[in-house]
Amino acid sequence: IGCADSRVPSNEISGSEPGEIFTHRNIANVVMQTDQNLQGGLQYAVDALGVEHIVVCGHTKCGGVQASLSGPKEFSPPLEGWLSHLRMVYRHHRKELDAIEDPDAKLDRLVDLNVIEQCKNVYRTAIVQQRLADNAAEGMPYSTPRIHGCVYDLATGYLKRVNWVTPDMEDPYDMTADEGQSEKYNLQKLLANNVRWAEAKKAEQPDFFEKLGSGHNPSMMWIGCADSRVPSNEISGSEPGEIFTHRNIANVVMQTDQNLQGGLQYAVDALGVEHIVVCGHSNCGGIAASLTPTAFSPPLEGWLHHLANVYRLHASELDKIKDEKAKLRRLVELNVLEQCNNVAASAIVQAKQRESLAKGAPFPVPRIHGFVYDLENGSLEDLKWKDEIKDEVGTFKVRNDYAAMGMEDPADKEKGMFNRKPAGMAGGGSNPLKKMFGGN
């Protein structure tokens, strides 16, 4: 569970190969009990994949943690709502943090404390508690999944371990026993791989971490699947610092998902990314699970429901495909296209695209792309999602929600609420809700 920051791709910094780390990434590695996005992924990792370790990894100079130190209402929703969870960490440790006068030292300490609190949040989940109880009942020698806190230092490239088991709580593990466990059950391999990777990077480019620590300016946001086989940087041949990343089960985009939408807002408004990629992959476990008649328990079942809705939209096409492998592949493609539609329908994206055209851009920015990664041959296929439309004279314009959903824009101009331009703003017209429910 890591930060979406482009400088901290999980596989690179841990020296891991594709297939080794199931990954969820969001702004500032936050874990909430009410977050269906992360909790669904956690349930899939623990119950379906049987992961033995859960790592919460923060990093120095975290932009999300830094932003949380600004005053409330500094940002608009959904990002402001997301940052409020980080401000709660500050409130919990206010006495200690207020005593730190140096801003950089305060930020570093808040990063550490945030990792500690998010590790505790992982431990408190019903998903993890049930698995720990089951393992104990089965007489397993070690409690799994084991939870670890780490902080990645952008200036050096090294991971440090953070002990999240504080004196005020009962130690759920014998944390000192890690050293004596088999390689399968400890974190030493990951930390050793990190050292080798950091040393190799410095030998190849001595100022690599110095440049990385000075900031990042990614041109792309990647919305990909949490599957361990599809790390965004490796499959796209990108370096740390180039791709701001959000990963969840089956690369789903929902307007009501504060986790993803907060990241989208940060990428578009704060980082100014020029491209947004939605990337699915062949043999996707999340897509396959949505095709089964099995009902999973919440929160995973609720997450898979969104994929089932994609099937419903395209049932006439999919029902004609008798080969199950071909049907799965086509649903992967259709899911990517529908999630591209959802990105295009976002008020965050539409506002930025409209602004780019007003400033003279030749086409709406950010541009949206849909890819599918083929696990069989390692290639990325561009699905050619149409991220732009033109008016009758050939001028680019921003898609409204009807166009984003593949529907014909109704002639009734009073339904202007669907173009995402807030009522009361220039060109937004009168408030349509007042006419629907009475009033002027």
Side-chain angles (χ1 to χ4, degrees):
I1 299 171
C3 184
D5 192 295
S6 65
R7 298 167 292 181
V8 287
S10 56
N11 283 66
E12 280 91 339
I13 68 175
S14 63
S16 301
E17 291 293 320
E20 292 186 333
I21 302 181
F22 183 82
T23 305
H24 177 94
R25 292 177 66 181
N26 64 43
I27 291 179
N29 40 276
V30 170
V31 178
M32 290 191 295
Q33 308 298 332
T34 56
D35 179 12
Q36 188 184 66
N37 186 328
L38 181 139
Q39 294 292 328
L42 183 63
Q43 182 182 352
Y44 188 83
V46 172
D47 292 345
L49 299 177
V51 298
E52 296 164 350
H53 299 272
I54 300 172
V55 176
V56 177
C57 185
H59 64 93
T60 58
K61 300 183 179 180
C62 177
V65 175
Q66 177 69 65
S68 74
L69 291 171
S70 62
K73 299 184 179 179
E74 188 80 14
F75 303 91
S76 60
L79 181 57
E80 174 59 30
W82 191 255
L83 296 178
S84 68
H85 303 292
L86 298 170
R87 293 196 179 101
M88 289 297 293
V89 175
Y90 192 108
R91 288 180 60 192
H92 189 65
H93 299 277
R94 178 179 295 278
K95 184 177 180 180
E96 175 186 352
L97 291 166
D98 283 350
I100 303 175
E101 295 183 359
D102 180 68
D104 292 337
K106 179 178 289 190
L107 176 59
D108 287 345
R109 183 54 181 158
L110 183 53
V111 166
D112 288 357
L113 291 170
N114 181 54
V115 167
I116 290 170
E117 293 300 328
Q118 305 314 325
C119 284
K120 291 180 180 179
N121 288 342
V122 172
Y123 175 67
R124 294 181 183 119
T125 63
I127 298 163
V128 169
Q129 288 293 315
Q130 184 61 54
R131 179 58 59 191
L132 291 174
D134 291 346
N135 289 343
E138 293 168 6
M140 293 187 64
Y142 306 109
S143 297
T144 58
R146 298 181 72 83
I147 302 166
H148 312 274
C150 291
V151 170
Y152 174 67
D153 191 334
L154 290 171
T156 65
Y158 296 132
L159 283 166
K160 74 171 183 179
R161 195 166 180 175
V162 178
N163 181 17
W164 62 274
V165 182
T166 52
D168 62 325
M169 64 181 292
E170 182 179 350
D171 189 343
Y173 313 111
D174 178 5
M175 300 300 284
T176 60
D178 265 3
E179 300 294 336
Q181 293 177 36
S182 67
E183 186 177 81
K184 183 178 180 181
Y185 284 94
N186 69 36
L187 201 63
Q188 303 313 309
K189 178 182 176 182
L190 183 145
L191 296 174
N193 285 347
N194 163 251
V195 172
R196 284 193 289 269
W197 173 79
E199 294 297 330
K201 273 294 181 184
K202 283 187 281 190
E204 175 186 327
Q205 187 179 342
D207 61 347
F208 178 81
F209 294 108
E210 181 181 349
K211 290 181 177 179
L212 206 62
S214 64
H216 66 139
N217 186 32
S219 62
M220 177 182 296
M221 180 179 185
W222 183 284
I223 300 172
C225 185
D227 192 295
S228 65
R229 299 167 293 179
V230 287
S232 56
N233 284 64
E234 282 88 341
I235 67 175
S236 65
S238 303
E239 288 292 322
E242 293 184 337
I243 302 180
F244 184 82
T245 305
H246 177 95
R247 292 174 66 181
N248 64 43
I249 291 180
N251 40 277
V252 171
V253 178
M254 291 190 294
Q255 308 300 335
T256 56
D257 180 10
Q258 189 184 67
N259 186 327
L260 182 139
Q261 292 293 326
L264 183 63
Q265 182 182 353
Y266 188 83
V268 170
D269 292 343
L271 299 175
V273 297
E274 298 172 349
H275 300 273
I276 300 172
V277 170
V278 178
C279 185
H281 65 94
S282 60
N283 298 327
C284 178
I287 300 288
S290 73
L291 287 171
T292 68
T294 304
F296 298 86
S297 60
L300 181 57
E301 176 62 25
W303 191 258
L304 297 179
H305 176 75
H306 303 292
L307 301 173
N309 278 337
V310 174
Y311 193 109
R312 289 176 58 199
L313 282 170
H314 301 276
S316 58
E317 174 186 351
L318 292 167
D319 286 346
K320 295 176 183 177
I321 303 175
K322 302 305 178 185
D323 180 76
E324 293 302 318
K325 187 174 181 179
K327 179 180 289 189
L328 174 60
R329 171 66 185 221
R330 183 55 181 155
L331 184 53
V332 165
E333 295 172 350
L334 291 170
N335 180 57
V336 168
L337 295 173
E338 289 300 334
Q339 305 315 323
C340 285
N341 287 341
N342 290 339
V343 172
S346 165
I348 298 163
V349 171
Q350 291 197 4
K352 183 59 69 172
Q353 288 185 332
R354 189 173 291 108
E355 178 185 311
S356 71
L357 292 177
K359 292 181 177 179
F363 44 75
V365 178
R367 308 195 77 176
I368 303 166
H369 314 271
F371 294 160
V372 170
Y373 176 67
D374 196 322
L375 291 170
E376 285 72 30
N377 58 37
S379 64
L380 280 170
E381 178 187 355
D382 185 354
L383 297 182
K384 307 294 183 183
W385 184 84
K386 298 297 184 182
D387 68 331
E388 56 207 22
I389 55 177
K390 298 180 180 180
D391 60 18
E392 59 276 4
V393 296
T395 303
F396 283 111
K397 61 180 183 177
V398 176
R399 286 169 166 255
N400 58 25
D401 278 5
Y402 282 108
M405 292 186 290
M407 299 167 60
E408 183 178 353
D409 197 349
D412 184 1
K413 302 300 182 183
E414 291 303 319
K415 293 188 177 180
M417 69 168 85
F418 292 99
N419 69 6
R420 313 308 300 154
K421 184 171 288 187
M425 290 183 65
S430 60
N431 190 334
L433 295 177
K434 288 186 177 180
K435 292 187 177 181
M436 290 173 65
F437 300 106
N440 296 321

